[in-house]
């Protein structure tokens, strides 16, 4: 008879390390592309050649309607994704961490108020609100990152709260209290280090969400016009006849880049997570 | 009761945010409220200011705004030359249909596949399924739509390339609906699959499963009669909270497939910077999300007796 199997089997540990290796490699590739875009890219993304060229030796992925080299656009596009993703996630994690820590540590009224705010934020339809704000603001990518960061902290706050509720009942926290340390000291030197391992995977998932959101916004034509992002490339291909004329090299590669970059970030987040059950609980 | 109060508070705050956005944003509030399509002379600007009440104090404007919201008067769109509420009402049905069908299929398939995969061994079949859904999870819905549209409608040509009109026959509409519903269901199923799989793996180790096994119940019977019910609880909350995400996904899918719905409305309104329409859509989607969460709470109570008794 089959025993109720333990969640983790032997084979999956090996598979896991393999896929996390893949994630690290993919992430590093995109990171280096973003960092050294000006060295790696064969052309300046704004330099004009003949328009609508198919892929060739000179232009690996052809050119777009304005004659810009698509491969170079692609390489520069990784910068926007990385900046918006990281910027938004840093802000969101910082807010979520503070809200969760304070709610979990002080409990009572503080908890009620902070979680009430979180619930309201959780219910805001985020994409429509960002579309509305972006339409008014005519955004730079910093504003996009800022807005995403201000809206994406809720799930981090919830996770951090429930963990810090647990941790703040533990003996070492109680003894710190008895020794008369200040609340601030206890929160940041006793509770915070015990929460960090659940915050990091959440951080990676937030990076992924922010990248997808940025791409979606740019696809609507709400991106930063001074920096070409992958979403914006797809927008141009979509509105300027790339799809209708079957110029697949124009809109497929940027989409694949978004997929691979997000995939590497999500996988990296998972492999940093310790518990298997949490590994598969995307939220 | 406390829950209801919380939902009303959320609604109140979000609708208030909607009031302040055009007034706090940089630029002329007249433009912000009327949209950039509307260029007028100085006299009519003054007349408009009086009509919109922009010369009155903020508090008065705020009260008037609430009156308008309650009467569902969302303002006038100068780009489309009609009332905003009318335009949205005409699009709402198709978006709701797309969202509703996708939630149905996406949740059903995602949950069942996730449950089976979490219940079974970690064999190649389940690994492939998990990897597949992980990739879908990482793909923005608009790109998935583009690829599906390109392959099935453009290359193979078995589905129509563009959207439909309301006069079509049932088969016609079904043909136009198939691909969008497929894309949205897949992207929703990917999320539900992950949650359900994790949830089932957690339930699998519990004692009541062992007990059911000791009673001699069949493997599948235990899964769908006992484990599934408990494991689906987090799913309900998630689907409700995901409503906003699903509707946003539907907007993008509609844009790519040029379907008649709120997504294309957003796209057109963005091109014309028609702010009243954008605000109206935000408001309507907010109401939909809050109502969905409220309904999920009720369903949760029906399914989980522990919650029911607390009330």
């Amino acid at each position: 008879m089959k025993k109720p199997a333990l969640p983790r089997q032997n084979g999956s540990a090996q598979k896991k390390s393999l896929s996390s290796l893949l994630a690290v490699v993919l992430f590093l590739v995109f990171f280096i592309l973003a960092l050294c875009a000006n060295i790696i890219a064969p052309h300046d993304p704004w330099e004009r050649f003949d328009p609508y060229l198919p892929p060739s030796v000179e232009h690996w992925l052809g050119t777009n309607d304005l004659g810009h080299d698509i491969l170079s656009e692609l390489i520069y596009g990784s910068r926007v994704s990385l900046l918006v993703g990281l910027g938004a996630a840093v802000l969101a994690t910082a807010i979520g961490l503070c809200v969760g820590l304070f709610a979990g540590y002080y409990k009572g009224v503080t908890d009620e108020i902070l979680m009430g705010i979180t619930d309201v934020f959780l219910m805001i339809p985020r994409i429509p609100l960002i579309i509305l704000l972006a339409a008014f603001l005519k955004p730079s990518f910093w504003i996009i990152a800022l807005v995403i960061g201000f809206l994406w902290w809720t799930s981090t706050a919830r996770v951090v709260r429930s963990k810090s509720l647990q941790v703040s009942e533990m003996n070492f926290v109680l003894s710190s209290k008895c020794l008369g340390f200040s609340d601030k000291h206890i929160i940041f030197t006793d509770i915070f280090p015990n929460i960090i391992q659940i915050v990091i995977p959440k951080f990676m998932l937030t990076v992924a969400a922010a990248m997808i959101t940025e791409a979606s916004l740019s696809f609507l034509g709400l991106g930063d016009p001074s920096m070409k992002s992958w979403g914006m490339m797809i927008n141009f291909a979509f509105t300027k006849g790339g799809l209708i004329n079957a110029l697949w090299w124009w809109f497929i590669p940027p989409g694949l880049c978004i997929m691979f970059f997000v995939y590497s970030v999500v996988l990296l987040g998972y492999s940093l997570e310790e518990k298997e059950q949490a590994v598969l609980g995307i939220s | 009761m406390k829950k209801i109060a919380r939902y009303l508070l959320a609604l109140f705050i979000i609708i208030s945010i909607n009031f302040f956005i055009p007034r706090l944003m940089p630029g002329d509030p007249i433009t912000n409220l009327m949209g950039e399509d509307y260029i007028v002379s100085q006299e009519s600007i003054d007349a408009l200011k009086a009509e919109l009440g922009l010369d009155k104090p903020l508090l008065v404007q705020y009260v008037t705004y609430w009156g308008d919201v309650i009467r569902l008067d969302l303002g006038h769109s100068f780009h489309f030359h009609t009332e905003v509420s009318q335009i949205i009402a005409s699009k709402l049905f198709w978006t709701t249909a797309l969202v509703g069908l996708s939630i149905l299929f996406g949740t059903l398939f995602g949950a069942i596949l996730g449950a089976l995969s979490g219940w079974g061994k970690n064999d190649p079949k389940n690994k492939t399924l998990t990897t597949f859904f992980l990739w879908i999870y990482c793909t923005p819905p608009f790109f998935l739509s583009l690829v599906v549209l390109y392959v099935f409608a453009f290359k193979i040509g078995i589905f129509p390339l563009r959207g439909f009109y309301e006069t079509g026959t049932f088969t016609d509409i079904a043909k136009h609906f198939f691909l969008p519903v497929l894309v949205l269901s897949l992207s929703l199923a990917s999320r539900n699959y992950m949650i359900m799989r994790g949830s089932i793996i957690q339930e699998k180790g519990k004692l009541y499963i062992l007990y059911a096994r000791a009673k001699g119940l069949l493997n599948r019977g235990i899964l769908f009669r006992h484990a599934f019910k408990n494991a689906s609880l987090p799913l309900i909350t998630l689907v409700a909270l995901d409503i906003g995400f699903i509707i946003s996904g539907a907007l993008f899918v509609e844009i790519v497939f040029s379907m008649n719905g709120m997504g294309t409305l957003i796209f057109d309104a963005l091109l014309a910077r028609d702010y009243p329409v954008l605000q109206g859509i935000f408001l309507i989607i907010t109401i939909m999300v809050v109502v969905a969460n409220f309904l999920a709470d009720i369903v949760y109570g029906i399914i989980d007796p522990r919650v029911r008794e607390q009330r």
Side-chain angles (χ1 to χ4, degrees), chain A residues 119 123 234 244 277 280 282, chain B residues 6 137 154 194-195 202:
Chain A
D119 280 350
M123 242 174 277
I234 300 178
I244 295 306
Q277 77 208 41
L280 289 161
I282 294 182
Chain B
R6 201 166 255 199
Y137 177 81
F154 201 86
M194 301 291 175
I195 299 292
Q202 258 188 344

Side-chain angles (χ1 to χ4, degrees), chain A residues 85-218:
Chain A
L86 287 182
V90 166
L91 182 63
T93 309
I95 300 175
L97 204 58
C98 288
V99 170
L101 278 173
F102 286 124
Y105 179 76
Y106 288 110
K107 307 188 185 73
V109 183
T110 320
D111 186 27
E112 283 279 317
I113 294 173
L114 286 178
M115 283 302 113
I117 297 173
T118 312
D119 280 350
V120 172
F121 264 87
L122 212 55
M123 242 174 277
I124 297 178
R126 294 182 282 202
I127 303 270
L129 180 58
I130 291 190
I131 291 175
L132 187 62
L133 287 174
F136 277 120
L137 290 170
K138 308 189 178 61
S140 71
F141 67 94
W142 283 119
I143 292 183
I144 296 176
L146 213 66
V147 174
I148 297 176
F150 268 117
L151 290 175
W152 249 265
W153 53 268
T154 47
S155 67
T156 311
R158 282 191 154 190
V159 173
V160 170
R161 170 187 172 262
S162 62
K163 186 76 184 174
S164 76
L165 270 178
Q166 278 174 22
V167 176
S168 62
E169 291 299 318
M170 287 181 181
N171 283 334
F172 65 92
V173 175
L174 296 180
S175 29
S176 282
K177 271 189 194 165
C178 291
L179 288 172
F181 284 114
S182 70
D183 287 343
K184 213 174 86 188
H185 180 89
I186 296 175
I187 289 176
F188 288 107
T189 54
D190 291 338
I191 301 180
F192 177 67
N194 287 292
I195 285 177
I196 199 83
Q197 86 271 17
I198 60 159
V199 170
I200 290 171
K202 264 280 176 243
F203 173 80
M204 296 310 271
L205 284 183
T206 314
V207 173
M211 280 157 80
I212 290 187
T213 308
E214 186 277 329
S216 308
L217 274 186
S218 304

Side-chain angles (χ1 to χ4, degrees), chain B:
Chain B
M1 271 324 284
K2 206 179 141 199
K3 282 259 169 162
I4 296 177
R6 201 166 255 199
Y7 284 129
L8 288 179
L9 184 70
L11 211 54
F12 173 77
I13 292 175
I14 300 172
I15 294 177
S16 300
I17 292 175
N18 193 44
F19 167 80
F20 285 107
I21 286 174
R23 289 168 176 81
L24 292 180
M25 287 294 140
D28 181 22
I30 287 269
T31 326
N32 285 356
L33 281 169
M34 304 310 286
E36 279 173 20
D37 240 23
Y38 192 71
I39 303 159
V40 283
S41 61
Q42 189 57 46
E43 302 97 76
S44 45
I45 286 183
D46 291 339
L48 257 177
K49 245 186 187 159
E51 196 195 316
L52 287 167
L54 280 178
D55 46 356
K56 298 198 187 88
L58 210 58
L59 193 70
V60 179
Q61 290 182 37
Y62 186 60
V63 173
T64 326
Y65 165 80
W66 266 102
D68 288 345
V69 169
I70 288 168
R71 275 181 284 113
L72 277 179
D73 176 1
L74 302 176
H76 188 85
S77 160
F78 284 90
H79 178 66
F80 295 99
H81 299 292
T82 27
E83 296 301 310
V84 172
S85 49
Q86 268 177 21
I87 313 171
I88 295 180
S90 70
K91 311 276 182 188
L92 196 59
F93 173 75
W94 294 107
T95 303
T96 320
L98 175 63
V99 169
L101 283 174
S102 307
I103 289 181
L104 188 69
F105 292 127
T107 312
L108 220 57
F109 285 118
I112 291 176
L113 287 177
L116 286 174
S117 143
W119 191 251
K121 283 201 223 63
N122 206 10
D123 54 6
K125 196 184 74 193
N126 283 337
K127 273 184 196 163
T128 320
L129 204 61
T130 308
T131 314
F132 170 73
F133 276 119
L134 196 58
W135 276 109
I136 300 279
Y137 177 81
C138 294
T139 315
F142 75 87
F143 182 63
L144 196 62
S145 315
L146 264 178
V147 173
V148 165
L149 182 71
Y150 180 67
V151 173
F152 286 98
F154 201 86
K155 280 284 163 195
I156 306 179
I158 42 173
F159 285 101
L161 251 181
R162 293 189 63 83
F164 60 94
Y165 297 95
E166 287 152 52
T167 48
T169 59
F170 179 75
T171 42
D172 197 33
I173 290 176
K175 237 181 169 177
H176 281 95
F177 247 69
F178 184 80
L179 287 183
V181 170
L182 178 78
V183 168
L184 204 54
S185 304
L186 268 180
S187 102
L188 183 61
S190 71
R191 300 162 81 89
N192 293 333
Y193 174 88
M194 301 291 175
I195 299 292
M196 201 61 190
R197 191 180 134 89
S199 196
I200 284 280
I201 288 178
Q202 258 188 344
E203 293 292 326
K204 206 157 71 168
K206 293 206 174 149
L207 281 177
Y208 73 93
I209 303 282
L210 194 66
Y211 177 67
R213 236 182 254 288
K215 277 199 305 188
L217 289 188
L218 289 174
N219 201 17
R220 282 282 156 83
I222 303 171
L223 171 59
F224 284 109
R225 282 208 179 163
H226 299 283
F228 193 79
K229 213 171 163 187
N230 285 321
S232 60
L233 289 177
L235 199 69
I236 297 170
T237 339
L238 189 91
V239 170
L241 284 178
D242 254 10
I243 284 276
F245 165 86
I246 300 162
I247 297 177
S248 321
L251 303 179
F252 287 98
V253 172
E254 280 175 354
I255 292 171
V256 174
F257 285 98
S258 345
M259 291 168 75
N260 186 11
M262 290 212 283
T264 28
L265 185 62
I266 285 193
F267 204 62
D268 293 340
L270 274 178
L271 286 178
R273 293 277 182 243
D274 191 338
Y275 302 123
V277 170
L278 291 175
Q279 280 200 286
I281 292 175
F282 172 62
L283 209 62
I284 296 293
I285 294 180
T286 303
I287 294 172
M288 286 166 82
V289 171
V290 173
V291 169
N293 275 283
F294 181 63
L295 288 179
D297 258 355
I298 294 175
V299 173
Y300 206 90
I302 294 171
I303 292 183
D304 191 344
R306 288 169 298 185
V307 177
R308 203 186 320 151
E309 274 156 25
Q310 270 176 21
R311 287 187 181 166

Side-chain angles (χ1 to χ4, degrees), chain A residues 74 234 237 247-258, chain B residues 143 146-147 150-151:
Chain A
L74 214 56
I234 300 178
L247 310 174
W248 58 265
W249 56 87
W250 193 359
F251 62 87
I252 297 284
L256 288 181
C257 281
I258 298 170
Chain B
F143 182 63
L146 264 178
V147 173
Y150 180 67
V151 173

